[in-house]
Amino acid sequence: MRSDTVKKGLERAPHRSLLRALGLSSKEIEQPLIGIVNSFNEVVPGHIHLNKIAEAVKAGVRGAGGTPLEFNTIGVCDGIAMGHLGMRFSLPSRELIADSVEIMAQSHAFDALVFIPNCDKIIPGMLMAAVRLNIPAIFVSGGPMLAGHMDGKVVDLNSVFEAVGKAAKGEMTAAELAALEEKACPSCGSCSGMFTANTMNCLTEALGMGLPGNGTIPAVDTRRIHLAKEAGRKVMELLVKDIHPLDIVTSDSIRNAFVVDMALGGSTNSVLHLMALANEADIKFSLKDINEISRNTPHLSKIRPSGEYHLEDLDLAGGITAMMNELRKYLNLKAMTASGKPLGKVIAGAKVKDNKVIRPLSNPHSHRGGLSILFGNLAPQGAVVKSAAIVPEMLKHKGTARVFNSEDEATKAIMTGQIKRGDVVVIRYEGPKGGPGMPEMLTPTSLIAGMGLDKDVALITDGRFSGATRGAAIGHISPEAAEKGSIAALRDGDIIKIDIPNNRIDVELTDKEITQRLSRVPEFEPKIKTGYLRRYVEKVTSAATGAVFK
């Protein structure tokens, strides 16, 4: 066992003495030591209940003959961090989470790990750590929040963000907004739409690193506790069978995850995170590969923000296993999973119970997937858009650029009615280096949608968007402005052409004019020159490769 490094032999008597100080018996010390990697805290609604999930996991580990030892990672709530300095720390936290898990696992020589994440950057950070360490591991998330109810309507956090736009326009009173904020988030769990957290929890299941139900069983459902116990038992089986994360996370399983992503119309952030995971696992995967998957995968399910259903509806409809069974012909069914069985056996017999929530292949929402990668002279290395969340009339759009060098400038312009129908709002210097930290921009996109402009106004950025974003919001434009990408050359009045069906985004400028303009752009000066973000700017790479470190 790996843990023998710290507990076997005469010379390890001091180590055993410290383990006894934890209250461990001789038998418990002799058993496999299983690290329980928990992101529990009292700040994030998706994490407030993870102490209970951890207790269930530990019960499963003990019942299967292991000794669980819990430790924690940090976790940022993107909703609370949104729209201020805090959002610049969200994506950078992913690398810290991966590093901190590596440090704890290597320092204490755990035999296996159970990961308990539940929100945006925590899930990919832990996945990156799992493949980096490559010791037997399994994931069990905290599950999604329930949707809220108000005046006979189903509401969620995104409803509140968009309501701010309605209030700014005078279509909703402050009292009505206050009533909505009280009803929108009625339970613990990750916010209830197919936002980034739930997308990544569903894709963890599709990757094979989580058991069936990992992505969709509601946080408050007792089945979530049963799932956690089973994850604890199953990690002991993975240890015995010597199944490691790199046996599960392969080019085939990442492709499977993207197929499910396209069928779900998941968050654009999934592209960023799956690319980072592929990089960590030393798997070659390009943005062009994603377009090929999107072209050949039907979009079967519209969950908020692209539709009106929520995660609890997807769960009742059969969850990810039912969707994957519907998608069988698009998947590699031989891919190994953390259940110890190949994917084909895991999903065999899973049935769709509501074909309005999960449509059959014969009646998809569209014959291509819900995410698209765009290329062109404005994004030579690529850009990402949630095409599933765009009204049909905006799939092709030609408009006048309104250029802003920060999210704050753009938000003020939108709030004060300066953006007109037909405009293309450009927000730059918000990429991985320029932001720094590539902040999400749910505030400006929600304002545009809340003001009823999402059928007429596009927004493009070298930053990124929340999974809750809907409308013609194109992010991850690469290279970013801070690296003198084409977006740095834009001026008010330039004509921008967006053609999502043909995967294009261009500005009506010649290559020569773009080059001349860029030659006059000053060298980028980091906005933050102290602390972690200073070091982050020095290390981070393009969004096109997942914004990983050099």
Side-chain angles (χ1 to χ4, degrees), residues 430-435 462 477-485 487 541-542:
E430 295 288 14
K433 288 183 184 294
D462 53 6
I477 286 181
S478 301
E480 62 174 299
E483 293 190 322
K484 289 199 176 182
I487 192 171
T541 60
S542 169

Side-chain angles (χ1 to χ4, degrees), residues 387-396 454-456 470-472:
S387 43
I390 299 177
V391 292
E393 50 265 53
M394 286 298 287
L395 291 172
K396 288 190 176 185
D454 56 313
K455 293 182 179 179
D456 305 281
R470 65 184 177 95

Side-chain angles (χ1 to χ4, degrees), residues 167-357:
K169 199 178 176 182
E171 295 179 357
M172 177 180 277
T173 66
E176 288 171 331
L177 181 60
L180 175 61
E181 73 177 66
E182 291 179 2
K183 302 282 180 61
C185 299
S187 76
C188 60
S190 48
C191 299
S192 57
M194 192 55 70
F195 313 142
T196 305
N198 289 323
T199 298
M200 290 308 300
N201 279 330
C202 289
L203 298 188
T204 298
E205 194 175 327
L207 276 167
M209 288 299 292
L211 298 175
N214 180 74
T216 60
I217 296 173
V220 295
D221 195 314
T222 53
R223 289 178 297 148
R224 179 64 54 181
I225 299 297
H226 300 319
L227 185 70
K229 289 179 182 175
E230 181 60 21
R233 288 190 288 267
K234 193 61 70 173
V235 79
M236 298 302 295
E237 184 181 310
L238 293 172
L239 182 60
V240 170
K241 291 182 175 180
D242 201 31
I243 296 174
H244 296 244
L246 287 177
D247 298 320
I248 297 169
V249 179
T250 64
S251 58
D252 287 334
S253 69
I254 287 181
R255 186 179 182 85
N256 285 346
F258 272 121
V259 167
V260 173
D261 201 8
M262 297 305 162
L264 285 171
S267 165
T268 52
N269 286 316
S270 62
V271 174
L272 198 69
H273 298 320
L274 287 177
M275 293 294 284
L277 178 62
N279 178 80
E280 193 72 58
D282 199 24
I283 294 168
K284 296 285 187 288
F285 223 94
S286 75
L287 292 179
K288 291 181 179 178
D289 294 329
I290 298 170
N291 264 346
E292 182 264 323
I293 295 170
S294 182
R295 277 193 296 272
N296 295 303
T297 305
H299 181 204
L300 302 184
S301 189
K302 281 202 170 194
I303 308 297
R304 282 278 285 164
S306 57
E308 293 306 313
Y309 295 112
H310 289 83
L311 264 290
E312 59 208 78
D313 302 308
L314 182 59
D315 183 60
L316 291 171
I320 299 304
T321 50
M323 172 170 276
M324 292 181 85
N325 204 25
E326 187 70 19
L327 292 164
R328 288 180 73 88
K329 70 178 185 179
Y330 300 98
L331 301 170
N332 186 311
L333 301 177
K334 294 180 181 179
M336 181 52 65
T337 70
S339 67
K341 298 182 289 187
L343 179 65
K345 289 190 176 181
V346 173
I347 64 176
K351 297 189 182 303
V352 175
K353 300 171 185 175
D354 187 337
N355 58 20
K356 292 179 181 176
V357 179

Side-chain angles (χ1 to χ4, degrees), residues 425-438:
V425 176
V426 178
I427 306 178
R428 63 190 179 190
Y429 294 101
E430 295 288 14
K433 288 183 184 294
M438 205 180 182

